[in-house]
Amino acid sequence: MLPWIGAALTVVALGGIAWGVSELAGDDSSKDGVQIDTTDAVDVGGPVPERTRRWDAVPDVRVQGNQLVDASGTPLYLSGVNRAGTEYACVQGWGIFDGAAGPDFAATIASWGANTVRVSLNEDCWLDRNGVRGGLGGEAYRAAIAAWVADLHNAGIVTVISLHWNSIGDQPATLQREMAGADHSLDFWRSVAGRFRDAPGVMYEVFSEPHDIDWDCWQFGCDVGGGRTASMQELVDAVRSSGSTQPIILSGIDYAADLTEWEARLPNDPAGQLVAGFHVYDFSHCATKSCWDATLAPIAERHPIMTVELGESACDGKFVESYIDWAEAHSVSWVAWTFNAWSTCSGDIALIKDETGAPTPLGEVIQRRLRS
């Protein structure tokens, strides 16, 4: 069932971009608000109160040529942050969110100038597999994620929904495997895309960081890690089988840092809504302007590119500044890692010191670039 109702009421300028009015009417099974199960004193980041889903200021993101555009065809430049936790807390048995979630925290993120947030999911928690602790998996997890996405949208923030921790074969989803699995990841995407089928302002990253596989495996699937991986074509087909037509982000190999064969290996998408997914850090495979010019720039001439993770270990902001300068010059969108209060930055690459949103030194750079 789709937990969405309501219509957009206003046009809001956020992060220097004026979002167009979008409207979303739920089907007959839609409901206004959700409640999650908090039995056994499980910490789920606080109960999700019932509230109206409004879609003020959230564009219906589409692919048009090499650009992301709104419903009227106006180009969109997406920039924002990751918010980690929903990929690991549930399977570790202590919560759904790692820190705050809800309307107030969505407003905190928006106050930085972010117009995009990436929400990373856990396959087992969504599908309620492999003994996820009661109250943290299945509909409790799905409803909490749906409520968080609604809170982000109500704050004017586009959401990238990403499969981050997953299963291969019968192994539990306790980490990020080499690639999405053929056994359960397709069911995951049929369900996720069905849930958000009519929601504006949603994009899907079908697998976060393919790694330790080659391009043949990316394109066709292969046997790895005790099971069979899904091909990118199968993942696209799973999303489209739900009736969802939102953009699909396909991230490259080598932890999404290698896009060298991305165009040559593209699956067919009947909706024509594919986006290249790229992750970059100062320690990544492709972390220099010469590599971006050689690898990314030709793709950006023909397809939108979404930099779904951007960060650095140095924490002084020099690397992220250099990449953002390059990305803005080539209309490449970006989402910084990560809006979590994990440390002062070093090691964890945290952008905030605490849940009030006070920035770390690296966060100060990201905040300034978002507001500009």
Side-chain angles (χ1 to χ4, degrees):
M1 295 190 297
L2 300 174
W4 315 105
I5 71 167
L9 304 176
T10 60
V11 176
V12 176
L14 183 64
I17 296 177
W19 295 140
V21 175
S22 300
E23 180 171 309
L24 176 66
D27 64 10
D28 291 338
S29 64
S30 297
K31 57 185 180 182
D32 182 5
V34 295
Q35 193 74 32
I36 62 174
D37 182 8
T38 57
T39 56
D40 300 326
V42 172
D43 178 11
V44 294
V48 179
E50 294 195 4
R51 56 192 178 271
T52 301
R53 304 298 190 255
R54 297 178 300 112
W55 299 103
D56 327 48
V58 181
D60 187 8
V61 182
R62 312 301 299 168
V63 171
Q64 182 174 290
N66 68 337
Q67 294 182 318
L68 296 173
V69 301
D70 65 15
S72 67
T74 301
L76 300 173
Y77 189 76
L78 302 183
S79 56
V81 296
N82 282 261
R83 176 65 169 171
T86 41
E87 70 269 39
Y88 55 78
C90 56
V91 78
Q92 292 171 356
W94 52 269
I96 291 178
F97 304 98
D98 185 359
D104 291 344
F105 197 71
T108 297
I109 297 175
S111 73
W112 275 45
N115 60 37
T116 307
V117 167
R118 180 186 184 224
V119 177
S120 296
L121 301 188
N122 183 293
E123 184 176 282
D124 280 357
C125 298
W126 185 276
L127 295 175
D128 201 14
R129 296 185 62 255
N130 283 324
V132 175
R133 185 176 176 185
L136 299 180
E139 184 54 26
Y141 181 82
R142 295 189 292 267
I145 297 300
W148 176 227
V149 171
D151 291 331
L152 292 169
H153 286 181
N154 289 347
I157 296 173
V158 170
T159 308
V160 175
I161 300 174
S162 173
L163 174 56
H164 206 109
W165 283 23
N166 67 301
S167 302
I168 292 287
D170 292 328
Q171 302 171 57
T174 54
L175 50 80
Q176 183 174 243
R177 307 288 171 179
E178 294 88 344
M179 180 58 176
D183 293 321
H184 312 294
S185 298
L186 302 179
D187 289 338
F188 168 87
W189 277 116
R190 292 182 191 105
S191 177
V192 170
R195 186 98 183 201
F196 296 100
R197 178 181 61 234
D198 298 320
V202 165
M203 303 172 71
Y204 306 119
E205 183 185 31
V206 288
F207 191 66
S208 173
E209 291 182 331
H211 61 93
D212 296 302
I213 62 169
D214 60 19
W215 281 105
D216 279 347
C217 183
W218 189 92
Q219 183 178 8
F220 302 114
C222 63
D223 293 320
V224 67
R228 183 77 181 172
T229 70
S231 68
M232 280 297 180
Q233 184 66 67
E234 290 173 313
L235 291 165
V236 170
D237 291 345
V239 171
R240 296 298 180 230
S241 70
S242 72
S244 176
T245 60
Q246 290 104 323
I248 296 176
I249 301 169
L250 305 182
S251 292
I253 64 171
D254 195 11
Y255 295 91
D258 181 352
L259 294 181
T260 52
E261 297 187 31
W262 189 86
E263 276 192 293
R265 304 281 188 156
L266 273 186
N268 175 61
D269 176 21
Q273 296 291 302
L274 298 183
V275 178
F278 181 59
H279 296 193
V280 64
Y281 295 86
D282 53 349
F283 49 82
S284 293
H285 164 78
C286 186
T288 62
K289 183 178 181 297
S290 60
C291 185
W292 309 330
D293 286 340
T295 304
L296 301 187
I299 296 174
E301 292 177 358
R302 292 177 287 275
H303 306 272
I305 299 177
M306 187 77 190
T307 311
V308 195
E309 289 185 21
L310 166 64
E312 64 175 60
S313 58
C315 298
D316 59 14
K318 293 179 180 179
F319 175 78
V320 297
E321 288 257 44
S322 66
Y323 182 76
I324 292 170
D325 287 343
W326 185 92
E328 289 181 347
H330 293 80
S331 298
V332 170
S333 298
W334 56 271
V335 185
W337 185 270
T338 175
F339 208 83
N340 290 77
W342 288 343
S343 71
T344 58
C345 174
S346 181
D348 293 325
I349 315 183
L351 300 178
I352 56 175
K353 299 175 182 177
D354 54 47
E355 295 294 289
T356 69
T360 63
L362 178 60
E364 290 176 359
V365 174
I366 294 298
Q367 184 185 71
R368 173 170 51 81
R369 296 306 297 254
L370 288 169
R371 288 176 173 175
S372 68

